[in-house]
Amino acid sequence: MGNEVENHEEHRAEGVGQHGRSGSEPGNVTTRIRARYGDAAVRGGNAVGCESVIAERDTHLPFMTFLKDDPELSFDYLVDVTAVDRLQLDEEIRFAVVYQLYSYKHNRRFSVSVPVPEADPWIGSVVSVWPGANWLEREVYDMYGIVFEGHPDLRRILMPDDFGSHPLRKDYPLHGKGERDNFVF
Amino acid sequence: MNTTPIDKLAEADLEEIRNERVTFERTPDMPTEHMILNFGPQHPATHGTLHMVLELDGEKVAGATPHLGYLHTGFEKLGEYRSYNQFVTLTDRMNYLSPLCNNIGYTHAVEKLMNIEITPRCRSIRVALAELSRLADHLLCIGTAALDIGAFTAFLYGFRAREVLYDLFEAVCGTRLTTSYTRVGGLLRDVPDNFAEMARESVEETLRATAEIDRLLTHNRIWRDRTEGVGVLSAEDAVAWGATGPVLRASGVEWDIRKNEPYLGYETYDFDLPIGRNGDAYDRYLVRMEEIRQSAQIIHQAVEDLPAGPVNADEEHAVLPEKSEVYESMESLIYHFKMTMEGHGPTPPVGEVYAATEAPNGELGFFIVSDGSREPYRIRVRPPSFVNFSLFPMLIRGHMLSDVVAVLGSLNVIAGELDR
């Protein structure tokens, strides 16, 4: 039994870092982005085990196109689009739209976070870059009310069309606002 | 005129489909008009409840507009009010055909966030169970795809083998469907002593069923006529639309998270990736059939020399202590209390994480934002069905009405995961 525990401990020591990285040398993507946009333009995000940056909303679309088209990056697979309502976090800007990207060529993941203010919650749609963003952006619009400018078909996707609120916002109560009592079937 | 909401819906969709400028061959001197057909929400081939508004030109589909959300349960919202271990039970209800894969994918993400290294035994058990539920998922997917097209036998043969798999899940987890088997840093409990034996038996049963289905379908004239060349997805489109899993591989893209970004020690297992050539419904069927055989190999390797030792990581701040120790040792009792009481529980550091695993349908990702408290600040599921299903309107355009079920079956849409 003692032996087994020892082996287990050994394995733990070896296994450190296995969770840490996903296939790429640390810093590759950020270095490439810095080379293109300058050091000042790149703020690192706080994703665990994956490189990440915080991008600006105004230059977001050309930036995403660059991430996809640059041969050294070629993030050709848009994994996920989602948002975070940072109302209860210590952040100035309320929303952040988060993109998870993957490059088949380099076997590398990357995460881009774009702050979106509550006052005018819009962001450029990336459907023209990755068509698969279509439903993912609709879901973010549905859940958070963030408008994707240039989206070909921005409608609610999970909630009913006449649903008045955006349920994943932090100020929307868990038990709803009584919509369930008034559903029209 | 009084219109009910459903009529309004159809009118709105009609307008929208017209705006899509579908070009269609028409006989010039024969005036035709498009017909709107509601497919679902209560249709046996929708596997759950989903609603599609089809615009038909004769028997051809000129456009399809899916309406989702009938099974929307707000899991992501609920997750913000549940502790990290409580959320495991919600993951069962997403893809309810392979709940173990969801359990494993979710705890994998939390462990990555908390930097917990699970024990070798736990890792092997998770691999074996993930592959066993892949068998169950693929058997059901192939069976129902055949059933929707009209072949009842394949479905029954698949279900018979699936029953044996579910008996195994029941022996391991105590439940057949809502398994909730994983915990952050470990498992609910160790597997029974005869786990390896049961796993081999159920694999054998599955392979027998697979061979039967193979004989029934693979060279079946009707099956091939109904699936070959139907719902063709090119490799470029598959990548651009973010398709994953068998749908991606059937289009000829050699990519699987188990191979490309191995987790749970998948790099130590010997298995091949089946790749399709044409990207049609038939290739998706063939890829799933071969994945069953490859998963069977993985299961054999995983249970062959199941490492001894504990199943739970030795992390008292995150993992429940052994129940027997809770009764005998003061420290364990305190840790047990700290893990389960309201306001206590595993608390990951502040940060955000995205971790993906290869579920039977494709990339199942969990994105977790932690503010350092007991509940996730934000939890997001990247459902493979949702992204794969967004291809449907493109795949079905120009096909016959009867191909709708063939394409739908080949995408393996699980409404629980689609709507969450």
Side-chain angles (χ1 to χ4, degrees), chain B residues 171-407:
Chain B
V172 173
C173 317
T175 48
R176 295 161 68 82
L177 190 72
T178 50
T179 50
S180 301
Y181 186 55
T182 59
R183 295 289 180 273
V184 175
L187 301 169
L188 162 69
R189 59 175 182 222
D190 204 345
V191 289
D193 293 336
N194 61 344
F195 175 67
E197 199 183 310
M198 284 186 84
R200 282 191 202 104
E201 263 170 37
S202 44
V203 166
E204 202 179 306
E205 184 65 34
T206 306
L207 289 178
R208 200 159 37 229
T210 312
E212 283 170 337
I213 295 171
D214 192 36
R215 283 198 293 277
L216 279 171
L217 295 181
T218 307
H219 300 294
N220 181 326
R221 178 66 194 275
I222 304 170
W223 172 254
R224 292 186 69 150
D225 281 353
R226 290 295 306 274
T227 53
E228 274 181 320
V230 170
V232 178
L233 176 66
S234 70
E236 294 75 36
D237 280 343
V239 170
W241 284 78
T244 47
V247 178
L248 176 74
R249 289 190 284 276
S251 296
V253 182
E254 197 175 338
W255 189 76
D256 186 314
I257 301 175
R258 291 174 296 169
K259 285 278 189 200
N260 293 67
E261 304 173 291
Y263 57 98
L264 293 177
Y266 267 110
E267 65 276 15
T268 60
Y269 295 94
D270 179 26
F271 66 103
D272 294 326
L273 280 193
I275 306 295
R277 202 175 293 134
N278 307 318
D280 54 6
Y282 184 66
D283 273 18
R284 293 197 269 278
Y285 153 76
L286 288 181
V287 165
R288 285 204 176 87
M289 288 293 273
E290 187 53 33
E291 279 190 21
I292 290 180
R293 300 189 189 99
Q294 296 300 328
S295 290
Q297 277 192 32
I298 301 177
I299 296 161
H300 277 301
Q301 293 167 47
V303 300
E304 184 63 39
D305 41 14
L306 208 58
V311 291
N312 285 336
D314 186 16
E315 308 258 1
E316 62 252 348
H317 63 279
V319 181
L320 272 177
E322 283 284 325
K323 196 72 180 170
S324 56
E325 282 176 33
V326 174
Y327 290 133
E328 289 164 9
S329 121
M330 188 65 202
E331 287 74 24
S332 296
L333 183 62
I334 293 170
Y335 288 137
H336 185 95
F337 181 87
K338 294 282 279 179
M339 287 297 302
T340 46
M341 288 308 288
E342 188 74 38
H344 298 273
T347 49
V350 178
E352 57 185 56
V353 73
Y354 177 84
T357 54
E358 185 75 25
N361 273 337
E363 172 165 351
L364 174 69
F366 286 89
F367 173 70
I368 301 171
V369 179
S370 161
D371 59 352
S373 70
R374 174 182 179 260
E375 293 96 11
Y377 183 77
R378 162 87 171 108
I379 183 155
R380 151 83 181 159
V381 189
R382 190 267 183 206
S385 287
F386 185 80
V387 183
N388 287 353
F389 186 48
S390 69
L391 283 158
F392 183 79
M394 188 178 81
L395 291 183
I396 197 61
R397 195 164 300 158
H399 279 302
M400 307 292 276
L401 172 62
S402 55
D403 293 331
V404 170
V405 287
V407 175

Side-chain angles (χ1 to χ4, degrees), chain A:
Chain A
M1 184 66 201
N3 200 12
E4 279 156 18
V5 174
E6 233 172 72
N7 284 344
H8 171 48
E9 290 295 326
E10 231 175 74
H11 198 98
R12 278 171 54 105
E14 279 169 19
V16 173
Q18 185 208 337
H19 275 317
R21 301 277 159 225
S22 58
S24 67
E25 290 294 311
N28 274 348
V29 181
T30 319
T31 316
R32 177 71 194 140
I33 296 169
R34 287 225 162 96
R36 166 75 173 75
Y37 284 95
D39 287 0
V42 183
R43 280 188 298 152
N46 59 344
V48 174
C50 159
E51 278 185 74
S52 59
V53 294
I54 299 167
E56 294 298 323
R57 178 171 68 164
D58 297 335
T59 53
H60 155 258
L61 210 55
F63 178 63
M64 295 305 257
T65 315
F66 165 72
L67 289 181
K68 188 191 174 212
D69 293 342
D70 186 76
E72 278 183 46
L73 301 175
S74 68
F75 287 105
D76 42 5
Y77 165 29
L78 176 73
V79 180
D80 195 16
V81 181
T82 189
V84 183
D85 179 356
R86 307 184 291 186
L87 189 66
Q88 293 152 8
L89 295 180
D90 191 20
E91 295 280 353
E92 240 173 80
I93 298 175
R94 180 168 173 184
F95 298 109
V97 177
V98 183
Y99 299 84
Q100 308 290 343
L101 305 174
Y102 177 81
S103 159
Y104 282 106
K105 193 171 151 195
H106 302 290
N107 189 25
R108 190 191 277 162
R109 285 187 188 270
F110 191 56
S111 165
V112 180
S113 164
V114 186
V116 174
E118 185 185 1
D120 58 338
W122 65 268
I123 186 170
S125 164
V126 296
V127 173
S128 55
V129 189
W130 296 279
N134 190 323
W135 284 20
L136 295 165
E137 290 185 345
R138 277 177 66 185
E139 190 182 338
V140 174
Y141 163 71
D142 192 356
M143 294 296 161
Y144 287 94
I146 295 170
V147 176
F148 289 84
E149 294 287 340
H151 191 288
D153 178 29
L154 196 64
R155 290 176 295 135
R156 284 179 180 273
I157 189 161
L158 293 179
M159 305 307 289
D161 289 344
D162 54 356
F163 197 78
S165 323
H166 300 289
L168 271 180
R169 287 188 173 196
K170 283 283 177 182
D171 50 11
Y172 184 83
L174 177 63
H175 293 281
K177 293 177 176 169
E179 291 92 345
R180 278 208 281 189
D181 307 329
N182 309 316
F183 261 159
V184 185
F185 282 100

